[in-house]
Amino acid sequence: MIPFAAETASTNPLLPSWPEFIIGTILFALVFGALAKFLLPRARETLAQRTEMIEGGLARSEEAQAEAQQVLEQYRQQLADARHEAARLREEAREEGAQIIAEMREQAQAEARRITEAAQAQIEAERQQALTSLRAEVGTLATELASRIVGESLTDEARQSRMVDRFLSELEVSSQ
């Protein structure tokens, strides 16, 4: 047997022997050094990349949120402008409608005046025609009546006309 192994067996099983301890410490230092030299920089680089990625993501999300807020404000402004424009258009349409109604009313009144004036002119013309016709009829009747009373024919038209005019003027004077 190895005296070294016998010595370790007689001592405390929880404590390693000195040669194992030294070899274990050297190997631990070698493994730790190798890990510190090769693995630790990669881990730090990966952590730095992840930190940058997270911070970049946060910055991008803040930028996106700011942009979304700006777009929301633009949308609200456009909506307010559209509402204002719609109100303005409604008011213009209301004013235009009132103007059209006023113009149509004015045209209707002008048409009514024109129709009334034309009717009055027609009535006056018919009245004059009736008066002329009545004068002629009254003259004819008066001449016939005078011919019968006098007993001679009054066929002279100038005479007839003077007599009819005198008779009608006497009638007008007496009716007033």
Side-chain angles (χ1 to χ4, degrees):
M1 285 194 90
I2 301 177
F4 189 67
E7 187 180 306
T8 57
S10 66
T11 60
N12 187 356
L14 294 178
L15 292 176
S17 64
W18 279 109
E20 284 180 351
F21 180 73
I22 291 174
I23 291 174
T25 305
I26 291 173
L27 288 177
F28 178 76
L30 284 175
V31 169
F32 186 76
L35 286 177
K37 175 123 175 132
F38 298 111
L39 191 60
L40 190 61
R42 282 191 182 162
R44 283 187 180 160
E45 184 180 318
T46 303
L47 284 174
Q49 287 175 353
R50 285 190 180 178
T51 303
E52 281 181 29
M53 203 165 74
I54 290 171
E55 287 176 354
L58 287 175
R60 284 190 305 274
S61 72
E62 286 175 0
E63 289 174 5
Q65 189 165 0
E67 185 178 332
Q69 187 66 29
Q70 183 181 6
V71 168
L72 178 63
E73 288 301 318
Q74 287 176 344
Y75 169 74
R76 286 181 179 163
Q77 182 63 37
Q78 288 174 350
L79 185 62
D81 290 345
R83 285 181 179 157
H84 179 70
E85 182 69 17
R88 185 185 64 77
L89 289 175
R90 276 193 306 269
E91 186 61 32
E92 283 181 7
R94 192 174 300 125
E95 289 173 2
E96 189 174 315
Q99 183 180 5
I100 289 171
I101 289 171
E103 287 174 2
M104 295 303 285
R105 187 173 291 140
E106 187 177 307
Q107 287 177 355
Q109 288 174 351
E111 184 69 16
R113 278 193 301 271
R114 187 190 63 76
I115 290 171
T116 303
E117 289 171 359
Q120 286 177 350
Q122 185 177 359
I123 289 170
E124 182 62 30
E126 287 177 4
R127 185 172 106 26
Q128 288 296 329
Q129 184 182 5
L131 188 60
T132 305
S133 174
L134 183 62
R135 251 181 200 222
E137 189 69 30
V138 167
T140 305
L141 287 174
T143 306
E144 279 182 30
L145 184 61
S147 293
R148 285 186 189 165
I149 292 174
V150 172
E152 72 181 65
S153 175
L154 300 172
T155 54
D156 184 18
E157 286 195 29
R159 204 177 192 190
Q160 232 180 9
S161 179
R162 281 193 309 265
M163 187 168 61
V164 169
D165 287 340
R166 190 176 56 226
F167 177 71
L168 288 175
S169 62
E170 288 176 6
L171 264 173
E172 287 177 0
V173 171
S174 66
S175 67
Q176 290 178 357

